[in-house]
Structures are given as C-alpha cells and as structure tokens.
Amino acid sequence: MTMSLDGFIADPDDGIEELFGWYGAGDVSVPTANSDIAFHLDADSADMLSGIVSTSGALVSGRHLFDITDGWGDNHPIGAPVVVVTHRGVDNPERWPNTSFAPDVESGIAAARKIAGDKGVCVASPSIAAQALDLGLLDEIHVSLVPVLLGRGIPYFANLTDAPHRLGDPEIVAGKRATHLKYTVRR
C-alpha cells in the first residue's frame, strides 16, 4: 500500500493522485499484466515492485476497492487472481472469471493462499489488512511512504481490535518520490 506521511492511503473521496506519483517518477518501465496501466519507476523502486509482483500468487481486495476500480477489468496489474471479501453478492459473476469472492477475511485469505500455492498473497485494502493483522494472518507489511501530508482521508490501519502489533526492523528501499518499507510481523 502507498501511504502519506500522516497515515492515509487515499483522500476522503478515495482520491490517490497525491499518493501515486512515484509510479511515474522514473525512467525504468515496469510492465504490468493490465495493458491500461503502465509504471515508470526509478531503478530501486522498479526492483522492489518487480520482486513483489514476481512472488505474488493472489491478491485479496475489499469490495469497496473492487467496485471503484471496476475490478481492474478482471486483470489486476500484478497479474494474479483476485479474491474479493464481500458481504453482498456480485452482479454478473460470469464477468469475473479470474476473480473469486469470499464472505469474510479469514476465508478470503485461505482461498487466496490456496490459489497462490507456493507464492505469496498480497492484501490491497486497508480494512482487510487491519482485520487480517488482528487475525494473525499477515506475515509482512509493505508500505510505500510518500512525501505528502493529506491531513485527512482513509487511514491504513484504523480500528485495529487486537493492537498493539509489533513489527521487526524495516527493510528500506529509498526510491524517487517514495520510501519503501517492509516489516515482518512479530508474533
């Protein structure tokens, strides 16, 4: 997840313009599985993102993100199948052959792990990530921290019910327009 210095992953209206500038801040082209989305990163950010993409076998999303992205056209940029955690049915399920739906976080993560096999599972939703962390289902947290203060918006880890959660020391990649942090969740 990309996050502002004050902890938000989007503005109050789901806007990400202030946050996602680092995806176009470099000269290294990073292909995605979705031809509608292109990344041009600095070399260090490109290496970091390529590593995540190459080791991801599934992605878990919340219903809100799925809806506002129109399900990425059933082709998420990382090229992995998507599991959407939702409490309501989806219209035209035949439109989503690479997407599955789960009624809760625990079953969504379990389905994603089964799909991913030996690869990792990414969680692309602040609410789902917070719930998965509380359930002990996250092994790592990756944050791309960008130099902007939004003042208000959608927080990354709000409403944790089992906090505090302790993390290991960060692995740090200093990119252009983003500092990428990787933390191991300590149990």
Side-chain angles (χ1 to χ4, degrees):
M1 298 288 287
T2 298
M3 184 177 77
S4 66
L5 283 175
D6 51 352
F8 299 107
I9 56 90
D11 69 25
D13 299 317
D14 291 314
I16 56 172
E17 294 77 23
E18 292 288 337
L19 300 172
F20 277 30
W22 72 272
Y23 282 112
D27 297 328
V28 179
S29 180
V30 177
T32 74
N34 187 323
S35 61
D36 294 334
I37 299 172
F39 299 136
H40 300 283
L41 309 174
D42 62 89
D44 292 331
S45 295
D47 286 345
M48 179 277 309
L49 186 61
S50 295
I52 290 174
V53 169
S54 68
T55 60
S56 297
L59 180 132
V60 179
S61 170
R63 179 63 182 262
H64 180 71
L65 182 59
F66 177 79
D67 286 345
I68 64 175
T69 62
D70 191 31
W72 302 276
D74 201 41
N75 189 18
H76 190 278
I78 68 168
V82 174
V83 177
V84 178
V85 177
T86 182
H87 301 293
R88 59 187 204 278
V90 63
D91 295 332
N92 59 354
E94 67 282 351
R95 181 175 174 218
W96 312 109
N98 297 313
T99 303
S100 38
F101 301 88
D104 56 61
V105 172
E106 197 164 11
S107 62
I109 298 284
R113 284 184 173 158
K114 184 174 182 179
I115 291 167
D118 292 338
K119 289 188 167 191
V121 172
C122 290
V123 177
S125 162
S127 173
I128 303 303
Q131 292 174 66
L133 185 60
D134 278 337
L135 290 167
L137 301 175
L138 291 186
D139 298 323
E140 296 175 344
I141 296 174
H142 294 249
V143 176
S144 294
L145 195 61
V146 296
V148 65
L149 298 168
L150 293 179
R152 58 192 182 99
I154 300 169
Y156 192 176
F157 282 103
N159 304 314
L160 291 169
T161 60
D162 199 25
H165 294 283
R166 292 176 179 76
L167 310 174
D169 292 333
E171 292 180 28
I172 303 167
V173 174
K176 186 174 181 182
R177 304 295 308 152
T179 301
H180 310 287
L181 306 169
K182 175 183 169 183
Y183 295 93
T184 300
V185 176
R186 292 174 37 200
R187 301 211 200 294

